[in-house]
Amino acid sequence: MSTTAKPTTPARLHFDTAVVADLVDGRWAQIRREMREWMLDERFRKIEGQPYREHRARVLEQAKLLVENGLVQRAFPERLGGSDDPGGNIAGFEELVVGDPSLQIKGGVQWGLFAAAILHLGTDHHHDTFLPGAMDLTVPGCFAMTEIGHGSDVAELATTATYDPRTEEFVINTPFRGAWKDYIGNAGEHGTAAVVFAQLITGGVNHGVHAFYTPIRATKADGTTGDFLPGVQGEDDGLKGGLNGVDNGRLAFENVRIPRTNLLNRYGDVTPEGEYSSPIDSPGRRFFTMLGTLVQGRVSLGGSSVAVSKMALATAIRYGNERRQFTGADDTVETVIMDYQQHQRRLLPLLARTYAAQFTHNQLLQRFHEVFSGEFDTDSDRQDLETLAAASKPLSTWLAMEVIQTAREACGGAGYMAENKLVGLHQDMDVYTTFEGDNTVLLQLVGKRLLTDYGRSMAKMDVGGTVRYVADRAVDMTLHRTPLRRAAQSIQDWGSKARSAGELRDPEAQRELLEDRVETMIEGIATSLRGAKGASPEVGAQLFNDNQHELIEAARAHGELLQWEAFTEALARVEDPDTRQVLTWLRDLFGLVTIEKNLSWYLIHGRISTQRAATVTSYINRLLPRLRVHAADLVEAFGYTDKHIGATIGTGVEAERQAQAREYKRQQRASGNEPVTEKALRAKAKADRESKVNA
């Protein structure tokens, strides 16, 4: 008599949630947790479906509560009431998204952009004169950079600030409709001042984009916002796709005069006579230095996006552990949907990517703090920070959108209910992918940096090094771009999936595959662009455009490599062997899903055999049930309770419903009154007929 073995449930290892929580929350864990607790206060909770005018008023009051409780001053100088803690400040701000993403953005506009521009682009006069009002919210402010006509092309902004030496004033003008400042937070209703980015012109010379502190509205006697000041025009952007607690609007200027001293002059100044000077001679380097001081917006958007990914996954996985659908091995008990492989395939790779994104963000936040606290603040440090932020923000914000949508679908119709937060988060987070730098444009910046570094490394090679490099690449061509390497690898793996899987588990093998893809793509692009050297601008632009997609994909691959490395670095700090094993499986899942996503590239370029390519997918499928056992632990370590998230389906109500359903069925079976199903009746009749025939 043959029997079919029942599938075994993977063993549950010890998982130290507290240790992993500390690892996830990073250096500023205590600040994060304190802010999360503040976000449990009902005064900070988002009211779903609230009319946008009421929502704006509520968020403004919430921002005032942050001031009253001393929650927004950490980044500012101690002499002005701050604590000179830029990293802790951002860590706390990212958690505002738990209460309401609109509050996180409102706070980001007021303190992360408006006040930060005064702090980082201004000097002592501006700090003493303008920062107190920005810090305590008596002066709600705008960050007036984006123009509808140029968007991400900040260097080509059309707004002008022309110096008049007779009155020692700058005259700000918006020359045409496309130069209106648009999508500006606080411009719709509340803002009374703005940091306006405009082309500084003096003595007939344009010295490029600079920042100017510019009053835009009057303040009433009761402290509320009054009308626009003379020469300032504005419009309300009105209802948006999300973040409707933020009053975005448009601004334009017609001969608006401000004192010469309102130029935020850390990187460029004008004398009373109109002479321009700067500590940075190169206009291009000066421009990027000024913009680089404002990188914290990208840092905080990436961090809050990861926080939202964690909340969405916590909701979907908790629900998936309770929701039952369809009978399987047991005809009387429906299967928990988290036990289905496809459900695991939907959620667990996203869980791995979220961990990777958080560990990368922790490194980014540490680097940000080192630069802005002055611990490590060289040009090289700032460039590295900007590149890391430009690589991290796109991956984190795109991840959030994918996680939210997948979690929504994984929760079925329940996920579409506003009370379960996922659709609201989708609306609010959507714009994160395009503001503070469009994601695609940011990845292009990363790609250009990779090309620059590649070019510098080649330029520094001596003759012997160049010869060795060419020889190495010739060997690479032989091994990778002909069938030789693929055949050798297939022979090595033939008949041994275990050997293949063992190599894929090797972190050095994963690193090599991820790293090699970046290096090969950058080398190929650099080779293609060599023809641009000495060519006409038209030819050079066309060559770059022909390689733009590949450049952006290389930058994305570089970001994924950074995430894998950050995950691996975090693993090294876990001492408990079982906990480290679970996180190692999760890291392997991240690495292998990333490789699987790009299998066509690896096959085309001979980096992997067809045998091993098949093993990638099969080993991923082996990892899923091991991690499924610990899925609840892994989201528990995020530190977001059902009260923080506020989703009804994350509170255990589904488990209660399923228990009621099972109890109802049990009682029916026990009573003997359960109706016979047509299927059972037909089966009995068939059995009776067969019995008669056999008799």
Side-chain angles (χ1 to χ4, degrees), residues 366-385:
Q366 176 68 27
R367 184 73 62 88
F368 173 86
H369 182 79
E370 290 170 351
V371 168
F372 283 89
S373 67
E375 294 176 23
F376 299 98
D377 188 12
T378 66
D379 283 346
S380 177
D381 292 323
R382 286 184 176 255
Q383 289 175 19
D384 288 346
L385 170 63

Side-chain angles (χ1 to χ4, degrees), residues 57-279:
R58 179 177 174 83
V59 169
L60 179 61
E61 292 307 309
Q62 291 171 342
K64 292 177 180 178
L65 280 173
L66 294 177
V67 174
E68 290 173 13
N69 289 283
L71 301 175
V72 294
Q73 291 86 11
R74 294 186 184 94
F76 298 103
E78 286 187 9
R79 69 182 183 85
L80 295 174
S83 54
D84 288 312
D85 184 7
N89 177 68
I90 289 187
F93 259 105
E94 290 166 358
E95 300 297 336
L96 294 178
V97 77
V98 176
D100 186 342
S102 286
L103 176 59
Q104 194 257 331
I105 296 304
K106 184 83 166 180
V109 169
Q110 180 67 27
W111 296 291
L113 293 175
F114 175 63
I118 298 169
L119 176 63
H120 296 302
L121 299 181
T123 49
D124 286 346
H125 161 72
H126 306 106
H127 299 166
D128 295 336
T129 307
F130 302 131
L131 263 185
M135 289 171 63
D136 68 13
L137 201 54
T138 55
V139 180
C142 307
F143 185 79
M145 177 183 282
T146 301
E147 292 177 5
I148 189 64
H150 279 94
S152 297
D153 191 4
V154 178
E156 296 300 321
L157 296 180
T159 303
T160 59
T162 306
Y163 184 64
D164 182 353
R166 295 171 302 171
T167 60
E168 296 187 18
E169 293 174 316
F170 284 98
V171 185
I172 301 180
N173 275 291
T174 304
F176 52 88
R177 180 68 190 192
W180 277 56
K181 303 292 184 180
D182 206 349
Y183 319 123
I184 308 301
N186 277 344
E189 289 187 42
H190 302 145
T192 60
V195 172
V196 177
F197 287 80
Q199 305 286 351
L200 189 159
I201 301 170
T202 181
V205 178
N206 185 346
H207 293 280
V209 174
H210 288 64
F212 303 82
Y213 185 94
T214 309
I216 60 171
R217 285 189 180 96
T219 301
K220 297 179 181 178
D222 63 358
T224 59
T225 302
D227 295 331
F228 281 116
L229 296 173
V232 180
Q233 294 176 265
E235 297 174 355
D236 196 318
D237 279 333
L239 187 67
K240 307 186 296 293
L243 296 176
N244 279 302
V246 184
D247 54 316
N248 295 87
R250 309 177 187 96
L251 294 172
F253 307 90
E254 183 177 357
N255 295 323
V256 173
R257 288 180 172 267
I258 59 172
R260 177 184 65 88
T261 52
N262 280 26
L263 165 65
L264 301 181
N265 62 345
R266 180 177 179 184
Y267 296 106
D269 201 5
V270 174
T271 66
E273 296 75 26
E275 293 295 322
Y276 179 84
S277 64
S278 172

Side-chain angles (χ1 to χ4, degrees), residues 299-587:
V299 176
S300 63
L301 288 183
S304 56
S305 295
V306 178
V308 167
S309 294
K310 291 187 287 189
M311 291 194 293
L313 281 168
T315 298
I317 288 174
R318 287 167 181 164
Y319 181 74
N321 277 333
E322 297 175 357
R323 174 70 172 173
R324 293 177 179 272
Q325 196 79 66
F326 305 114
T327 55
D330 189 332
D331 287 339
T332 64
V333 179
E334 291 185 295
T335 302
V336 174
I337 60 174
M338 201 66 210
D339 286 341
Y340 289 112
Q341 184 193 63
Q342 183 58 26
H343 210 72
Q344 295 167 12
R345 258 284 188 168
R346 298 171 87 178
L347 295 176
L348 295 184
L350 292 175
L351 182 61
R353 287 170 60 192
T354 299
Y355 264 84
Q358 182 64 62
F359 293 141
T360 306
H361 181 71
N362 289 348
Q363 291 185 346
L364 172 61
L365 197 53
Q366 176 68 27
R367 184 73 62 88
F368 173 86
H369 182 79
E370 290 170 351
V371 168
F372 283 89
S373 67
E375 294 176 23
F376 299 98
D377 188 12
T378 66
D379 283 346
S380 177
D381 292 323
R382 286 184 176 255
Q383 289 175 19
D384 288 346
L385 170 63
E386 290 161 21
T387 303
L388 185 55
S392 179
K393 185 257 184 183
L395 269 60
S396 295
T397 53
W398 276 328
L399 171 65
M401 293 305 297
E402 186 176 349
V403 168
I404 294 167
Q405 181 62 27
T406 303
R408 206 293 296 157
E409 294 179 24
C411 293
Y416 199 60
M417 298 296 102
E419 67 177 9
N420 292 318
K421 306 296 182 180
L422 294 171
V423 287
L425 287 174
H426 194 287
Q427 291 171 323
D428 286 336
M429 300 303 295
D430 197 348
V431 75
Y432 280 51
T433 61
T434 53
F435 70 7
E436 289 298 314
D438 179 280
N439 283 355
T440 300
V441 175
L442 290 179
L443 286 181
Q444 183 169 288
L445 292 176
V446 175
K448 287 181 176 179
R449 172 68 188 275
L450 293 173
L451 280 175
T452 299
D453 288 350
Y454 173 83
R456 286 172 179 166
S457 67
M458 292 297 293
K460 290 179 180 178
M461 278 190 183
D462 58 17
V463 174
T466 304
V467 170
R468 286 192 299 273
Y469 177 81
V470 172
D472 288 344
R473 299 317 289 169
V475 172
D476 181 77
M477 290 285 287
T478 302
L479 290 179
H480 292 304
R481 300 179 189 179
T482 71
L484 179 62
R485 173 62 176 266
R486 291 194 294 271
Q489 196 181 81
S490 296
I491 292 169
Q492 179 183 353
D493 293 339
W494 184 257
S496 179
K497 290 185 177 180
R499 178 187 300 164
S500 217
E503 292 200 14
L504 290 170
R505 286 198 301 270
D506 180 2
E508 289 308 311
Q510 293 177 31
R511 183 195 300 274
E512 182 180 352
L513 286 169
L514 296 170
E515 191 173 63
D516 183 58
R517 182 164 182 260
V518 178
E519 292 176 351
T520 302
M521 292 174 80
I522 290 298
E523 181 202 351
I525 297 164
T527 301
S528 298
L529 292 178
R530 282 176 187 163
K533 188 175 182 180
S536 67
E538 183 180 10
V539 171
Q542 185 60 49
L543 274 172
F544 182 84
N545 194 53
D546 290 344
N547 288 274
Q548 186 181 37
H549 173 72
E550 192 74 1
L551 182 67
I552 290 168
E553 288 306 302
R556 190 198 300 264
H558 174 69
E560 291 167 343
L561 172 61
L562 293 177
Q563 290 183 329
W564 185 93
E565 290 177 336
F567 205 144
T568 302
E569 187 275 333
L571 271 175
R573 290 182 277 129
V574 180
E575 295 181 2
D576 176 67
D578 278 6
T579 303
R580 187 169 59 249
Q581 179 63 75
V582 174
L583 290 179
T584 299
W585 288 335
L586 196 65
R587 191 278 315 275

